[in-house]
Amino acid sequence: MDTFPLGPTSVRRIGFGAMQLPGPGVFGPPRDHDAAIAVLRRAVELGVNHIDTSDYYGPYVVNDLIRQALAPYPPELVLVTKVGARRTDSGDWLPWFEPDGIKEAVHDNLGRLGVERLGGVNLRRMDGFEGSMAAQWTVLADLQSQGLIADLGLSNVTAAEIEELQQIAPVACVQNAYNLAHRGDDDLIDALDEQGIFYVPFFPLGGFSPLAISAVDDVAARHGATSMQVALAWLLQRSPNILLIPGTSSVAHLEENLAAGRLTLDDEDLAVLDKLG
């Protein structure tokens, strides 16, 4: 697959999202520790060089697994984390959005992963937060100027928020919810493509409620592929600025996801799939 500049190097279009490696609810240790390690190592063996993570996955579980499985890291591997939330002892998700908290979270991710510079940091706006994120973004821009972060990104944001924060520091990527069935960001994706900003859809396969659409199944059957592979292939053909980070805790599913990069949908397929949104 082609590579695209992100972080200190460049990445392939299909990476790996590590959110599914911890226990249920993205909380606690994995059901099978050795299997989680195997997934990470197999991903890198197959050429994945973009891993999406966060200290609040687990919490801390995923970053510990990544370091155990992959350190010392290959020079081409780009580790992208996100900040803006924390977990309670019972697994609840809470905002951690004060500027000092953002700074602390970046340093925590650096230490937990065992790196001197993060390939990228996404500032994630938690649901319910209102107001400007300029103070938080300024903190990240300062850390970037210190050499602690290569690229900055935003998550769960609007076009207006992106435009505001671009005045402070460049936005390299945007990570919002988007997939075959949920296309609220269609206009945003096109606008970001014109600006040279990558779009990284989270929940590309539907998230905690996987996509189940008969029309997708029909397209998959014609290609001898799975419905999930079709959903990923559609995203790759949707726009050249889309980078994917599908997640899994299974080596077999990982290999299936990566194989979607070899699937080309024809005009008939696209006509069917484009109507689903």
Side-chain angles (χ1 to χ4, degrees):
M1 290 181 287
D2 293 336
T3 58
F4 298 81
L6 182 68
T9 177
S10 59
V11 299
R12 296 178 176 87
R13 288 193 73 186
I14 303 182
F16 178 71
M19 185 179 182
Q20 294 188 33
L21 293 181
V26 201
F27 188 71
R31 292 186 178 93
D32 187 329
H33 176 274
D34 291 344
I37 295 293
V39 167
L40 288 163
R41 290 177 176 166
R42 183 59 174 155
V44 172
E45 286 174 1
L46 292 174
V48 167
N49 62 349
H50 171 200
I51 294 180
D52 179 84
T53 183
S54 177
D55 240 7
Y56 57 68
Y57 292 164
Y60 315 124
V61 169
V62 168
N63 281 351
D64 286 345
L65 288 169
I66 290 171
R67 186 172 184 176
Q68 180 182 350
L70 302 177
Y73 303 110
E76 68 275 11
L77 182 62
V78 177
L79 298 175
V80 178
T81 189
K82 60 182 65 65
V83 296
R86 63 183 178 88
R87 308 297 294 278
T88 68
D89 291 341
S90 59
D92 293 331
W93 301 78
L94 297 176
W96 194 28
F97 219 66
E98 293 300 318
D100 286 346
I102 297 298
K103 181 177 180 179
E104 184 177 345
V106 169
H107 282 283
D108 286 348
N109 277 275
L110 286 163
R112 188 76 57 175
L113 288 167
V115 295
E116 294 182 355
R117 181 169 67 159
L118 294 162
V121 173
N122 288 315
L123 177 64
R124 192 187 196 287
R125 179 175 59 79
M126 293 292 287
D127 293 338
F129 176 83
E130 297 182 0
S132 173
M133 297 186 290
Q136 291 81 1
W137 192 246
T138 298
V139 168
L140 291 179
D142 181 57
L143 294 171
Q144 183 183 42
S145 72
Q146 296 175 38
L148 299 179
I149 305 169
D151 274 330
L152 301 181
L154 292 165
S155 180
N156 202 32
V157 291
T158 66
E161 289 168 328
I162 297 167
E163 182 178 1
E164 176 197 2
L165 299 179
Q166 280 272 52
Q167 308 307 310
I168 299 171
V171 176
C173 59
V174 172
Q175 194 177 109
N176 282 0
Y178 183 84
N179 55 50
L180 258 173
H182 300 93
R183 302 191 198 168
D185 271 0
D186 269 335
D187 291 341
L188 177 60
I189 289 171
D190 295 337
L192 294 177
D193 185 33
E194 293 178 358
Q195 299 173 60
I197 298 174
F198 296 118
Y199 186 91
V200 185
F202 65 76
F203 293 159
L205 300 176
F208 298 109
S209 299
L211 298 173
I213 305 171
S214 60
V216 181
D217 296 339
D218 293 342
V219 171
R222 288 201 295 272
H223 286 274
T226 69
S227 297
M228 298 298 99
Q229 287 175 321
V230 168
L232 293 175
W234 179 83
L235 285 166
L236 291 173
Q237 291 181 229
R238 164 64 181 82
S239 182
N241 67 324
I242 289 182
L243 304 178
L244 299 182
I245 49 168
T248 181
S249 58
S250 158
V251 168
H253 190 204
L254 167 74
E255 293 173 348
E256 177 185 304
N257 288 340
L258 294 176
R262 299 191 293 272
L263 174 61
T264 299
L265 303 173
D266 60 28
D267 291 342
E268 180 183 353
D269 300 326
L270 295 174
V272 171
L273 298 173
D274 288 346
K275 294 178 182 178
L276 298 178

